[in-house]
Amino acid sequence: MSTILIVEDNATARELLVELLRDARYPVIEAEDGAEALRLAHTQHPDLIISDVLMPEMNGYELVRHLRTDPETALIEVIFHSAVFNEPEAHDLARDCGVTHVISKPTEPKKILNTVAEVLRAKGTEPTSPLPASFDHKHQQLLTGKLMQQIDALDRSEERFRMLAEHATDIVFRYHLHPTRAWEYVNPAATIILGYEPREYYADPKLLYKIVHPDSRGELESWIDARCASGDTTEIRWIHKDGRTVWTEIRSTPLRDVVGNLVAVEGIARDITERKTAEAKLEALNKELLRSNKELEDFAYIASHDLREPLRGINSFSSFLVQDYGDKLGEDGCSKLRTVMRLTKRMEDFIDVLLTYSRVGRLELAFEETDLGAVLNEVIDSHGLLLQETGAVVRIERPLPVVRCDPVRIREVFGNLIANAIKYNNGPEKRVEIGYELQEERSAPSAQDKLQPPGGDEGRSDSIPYVFYIRDNGIGIRAKHFEAIFKIFRRLHGREEFGGGTGAGLTITKKIIERHGGRIWLESTYGKGATFYFTLQGDEHAGKDEPADSHRRGQSRGL
Ligand code: ADP
């Protein structure tokens, strides 16, 4: 029986062939590549070699060439078993080196066995022709042709990349870091953005360091030396050739050699000067706003503080006048003086409110974990008399949790909101309901809910996940007044109605909430009561605690 040598670098493909032929009772030997096959051909003298064409070390053609040039192996029949036999040149080359049979991968086992049988039957009847002189040349041409095709494909994709890059409005670059620093590519957008032409970059690998703004030098160095390799994005300021400052945002991809060493970075630098300038302007404006707010608050504080003295003087002297010179002034004079005293008293009240308001803005808040349930109880207790007089019922619908806030200030918030809830109600059964909802239980606040501080802080998330509410069944507020009532001295009623007031309670309440990073808003149907909501912002631990006084869930207090 004829011995067959199978040459195939792919172990699975080799095994399949070996199994098939052994099954057909051929003695089979195997080799992983051309070089090993050549050795076996000399030692084992197979009758037939079935060889793959593309293999490392020595390919199928080279194997046949070696076989044919040595008289000892020249007559061994060869069948090519290859996936790359569609090209006519490959067929020609096979024929030239005396390989008449080619089996394409994959092929049915039966066809393989038939071809093997046919070749072995004909063996010896047709002497294998010697290699023509043109073989080496053709072989080389085929390999070179393949290489050129691949280079062409690469060139075409590089060409496409260049076309894209040449027309991009962002800077596109490839910068070599090792072994030496050099620009491999910079697109024309670099000229528009930074003023220097690509050739100026190519001529000076260090140009980067010369045109970087002094304030960005450190960032550039640390980015190139350490962070660009991880694809980190950076913002760098440059000095344009014409002297102006340009900001770019650079996104990069590291390029590594086969063993993983960083050799280059390629990336995109976008001109973000406009955005940066706008940001800087906004920041300056914000600073200015903060500064002038602070100045106003200081002014209000000092002015109201200083105004109190002379007012107190007017009041005292007016009362001396009434007491000591009452008879001389007569009833009419005394009555006029009493009006002066009433008016100065009102002025004092206003000044007190102004002082309180400006103090709230100036105060350092003392944040601490606060049991809001306990705070609420204190507030309700302190309103005992009012509750008694009005017959109002305060119901805690959901015991309040422990949160991080300034307890003194939040007590004022509850105090103001509860007092208003009782005050602005002329119905026979006054009810106040207090509780909270989880933020996630609520749908997004509607436009009218967004009563936010000037400067806009949309998108801010309140880290305390509760929305507290104080609901009453009082007179309610028209939607058109929802914003106005938070303005200082703004009242919707006459001075004598609803027990009077200065119109500053809600302004101070809002200020306290804002200083806690929260929001306040209301919902109301005129004539049917109002609900005031507020949120708070604590730190990351805030709001995770269980309600501290859960045993009081649903408790009613009628005082
Ligand atoms: P004050 O109560 O001293 O007038 P506030 O700033 O507390 O000042 O309130 C401003 C105005 O908002 C009040 O004059 C009143 O008209 C209205 N208001 C406040 N709370 C309520 C409420 N719960 N129901 C109806 N109206 C209210």
Side-chain angles (χ1 to χ4, degrees):
M1 199 76 180
S2 315
T3 304
I4 302 175
L5 168 59
I6 311 276
V7 194
E8 168 70 72
D9 61 333
N10 180 310
T12 319
R14 193 170 65 239
E15 240 169 78
L16 280 174
L17 262 184
V18 169
E19 280 303 310
L20 175 72
L21 292 166
R22 284 211 175 122
D23 206 44
R25 311 223 169 280
Y26 289 106
V28 179
I29 48 177
E30 349 171 4
E32 270 185 30
D33 62 53
E36 193 188 349
L38 202 59
R39 270 197 309 280
L40 287 174
H42 276 105
T43 55
Q44 311 280 314
H45 307 289
D47 302 278
L48 169 64
I49 296 176
I50 303 179
S51 174
D52 189 11
V53 174
L54 294 182
M55 290 175 295
E57 299 281 320
M58 184 189 289
N59 68 34
Y61 298 113
E62 283 174 289
L63 170 64
V64 175
R65 197 177 54 138
H66 282 291
L67 290 171
R68 297 291 178 255
T69 46
D70 185 338
E72 213 185 311
T73 54
L75 292 176
I76 302 175
E77 291 290 344
V78 178
I79 297 175
F80 276 158
H81 180 230
S82 171
V84 294
F85 259 84
N86 314 328
E87 300 110 356
E89 310 94 288
H91 272 280
D92 281 357
L93 199 60
R95 213 173 302 120
D96 279 356
C97 62
V99 175
T100 46
H101 289 81
V102 173
I103 310 171
S104 306
K105 281 185 205 169
T107 301
E108 278 174 60
K110 200 162 172 215
K111 200 171 163 207
I112 297 177
L113 290 178
N114 284 345
T115 312
V116 168
E118 192 186 322
V119 172
L120 286 175
R121 230 188 351 264
K123 186 172 157 62
T125 54
E126 271 178 54
T128 39
S129 49
L131 276 183
S134 62
F135 175 80
D136 268 350
H137 180 64
K138 275 197 186 171
H139 180 210
Q140 212 173 16
Q141 255 185 347
L142 183 82
L143 291 181
T144 323
K146 273 198 172 307
L147 202 63
M148 292 308 289
Q149 268 175 14
Q150 276 169 7
I151 291 173
D152 261 8
L154 255 177
D155 276 355
R156 273 197 301 276
S157 94
E158 180 77 9
E159 183 69 14
R160 278 198 295 272
F161 159 77
R162 289 267 153 129
M163 282 287 285
L164 274 177
E166 296 282 300
H167 292 100
T169 48
D170 295 338
I171 300 177
V172 179
F173 64 89
R174 193 177 290 154
Y175 186 61
H176 271 264
L177 296 164
H178 299 292
T180 49
R181 299 204 166 183
W183 292 96
E184 186 187 320
Y185 177 72
V186 181
N187 73 340
T191 317
I192 297 164
I193 295 175
L194 294 171
Y196 297 87
E197 288 181 31
R199 62 181 169 78
E200 292 177 88
Y201 290 87
Y202 302 142
D204 183 359
K206 292 272 156 80
L207 184 63
L208 214 58
Y209 297 95
K210 293 178 188 161
I211 65 172
V212 69
H213 189 284
D215 291 354
S216 278
R217 182 177 296 276
E219 170 66 11
L220 178 70
E221 280 167 6
S222 94
W223 182 72
I224 289 190
D225 294 342
R227 287 159 36 223
C228 69
S230 54
D232 212 9
T233 303
T234 184
E235 292 182 352
I236 304 271
R237 208 177 343 168
W238 310 92
I239 299 180
H240 189 280
K241 204 174 193 179
D242 66 13
R244 70 193 145 93
T245 299
V246 174
W247 274 100
T248 61
E249 179 188 72
I250 309 178
R251 289 164 189 278
S252 71
T253 315
L255 299 174
R256 299 175 186 281
D257 62 15
V258 279
V259 286
N261 292 325
L262 177 71
V263 283
V265 267
E266 61 182 16
I268 288 179
R270 169 163 296 182
D271 185 348
I272 52 161
T273 314
E274 253 177 54
R275 192 188 87 200
K276 280 285 182 187
T277 318
E279 275 173 12
K281 268 192 197 145
L282 201 67
E283 202 175 315
L285 273 176
N286 270 341
K287 267 198 194 135
E288 176 56 26
L289 199 68
L290 278 179
R291 199 189 55 76
S292 60
N293 268 350
K294 173 96 185 43
E295 247 173 35
L296 257 174
E297 268 166 12
D298 287 351
F299 174 75
Y301 183 77
I302 292 161
S304 33
H305 193 264
D306 292 357
L307 275 174
R308 281 173 110 188
E309 271 320 298
L311 265 184
R312 210 167 286 145
I314 296 172
N315 227 345
S316 332
F317 279 99
S318 305
S319 84
F320 291 156
L321 271 178
V322 175
Q323 273 166 29
D324 301 347
Y325 300 91
D327 341 334
K328 292 188 183 144
L329 288 170
E331 195 40 48
D332 189 41
C334 285
S335 146
K336 286 198 167 94
L337 260 183
R338 271 192 280 274
T339 308
V340 170
M341 284 159 73
R342 211 177 47 250
L343 289 176
T344 37
K345 175 77 184 66
R346 256 183 70 202
M347 199 157 169
E348 259 184 78
D349 290 346
F350 277 125
I351 286 173
D352 280 348
V353 164
L354 259 183
L355 256 179
T356 315
Y357 177 70
S358 51
R359 242 187 232 134
V360 170
R362 294 154 57 94
L363 268 177
E364 278 286 321
L365 292 185
F367 275 87
E368 58 184 72
E369 295 299 316
T370 305
D371 177 356
L372 288 186
V375 168
L376 185 59
N377 282 339
E378 283 170 35
V379 174
I380 294 171
D381 288 345
S382 69
H383 283 74
L385 194 63
L386 182 68
L387 289 167
Q388 234 168 23
E389 282 169 9
T390 55
V393 176
V394 177
R395 181 182 154 83
I396 300 167
E397 298 201 313
R398 195 173 183 180
L400 300 190
V402 172
V403 301
R404 196 171 165 73
C405 65
D406 180 334
V408 178
R409 300 294 142 214
I410 296 302
R411 188 175 302 129
E412 277 178 59
V413 167
F414 278 113
N416 282 340
L417 294 176
I418 291 172
N420 278 353
I422 299 169
K423 191 159 75 163
Y424 297 105
N425 190 337
N426 44 20
E429 284 180 17
K430 306 180 203 318
R431 278 198 315 275
V432 184
E433 291 153 359
I434 302 169
Y436 69 88
E437 294 166 12
L438 287 171
Q439 301 244 27
E440 62 204 34
E441 290 167 2
R442 291 180 59 84
S443 50
S446 63
Q448 75 183 27
D449 296 339
K450 287 189 179 167
L451 291 174
Q452 294 184 354
D457 54 356
E458 290 187 18
R460 177 186 59 196
S461 66
D462 305 288
S463 59
I464 296 180
Y466 309 117
V467 178
F468 300 97
Y469 64 82
I470 287 96
R471 181 180 301 125
D472 63 57
N473 61 342
I475 57 169
I477 300 164
R478 287 191 172 88
K480 65 176 179 184
H481 295 132
F482 281 4
E483 285 199 43
I485 55 168
F486 289 98
K487 301 214 164 107
I488 196 154
F489 302 138
R490 205 60 85 77
R491 308 196 66 235
L492 303 178
H493 307 98
R495 216 172 336 115
E496 307 309 327
E497 284 178 278
F498 298 104
T502 52
L506 285 180
T507 318
I508 290 169
T509 301
K510 183 169 180 248
K511 184 103 186 167
I512 295 173
I513 299 291
E514 281 173 2
R515 291 224 39 211
H516 278 77
R519 292 171 294 149
I520 182 164
W521 69 97
L522 71 142
E523 284 170 10
S524 174
T525 305
Y526 188 57
K528 294 211 170 125
T531 308
F532 283 80
Y533 295 94
F534 67 88
T535 62
L536 297 172
Q537 177 143 38
D539 59 20
E540 70 268 25
H541 306 297
K544 300 224 171 84
D545 307 273
E546 275 299 298
D549 50 354
S550 43
H551 60 282
R552 296 183 56 218
R553 185 175 292 267
Q555 179 185 352
S556 288
R557 288 182 66 132
L559 294 163

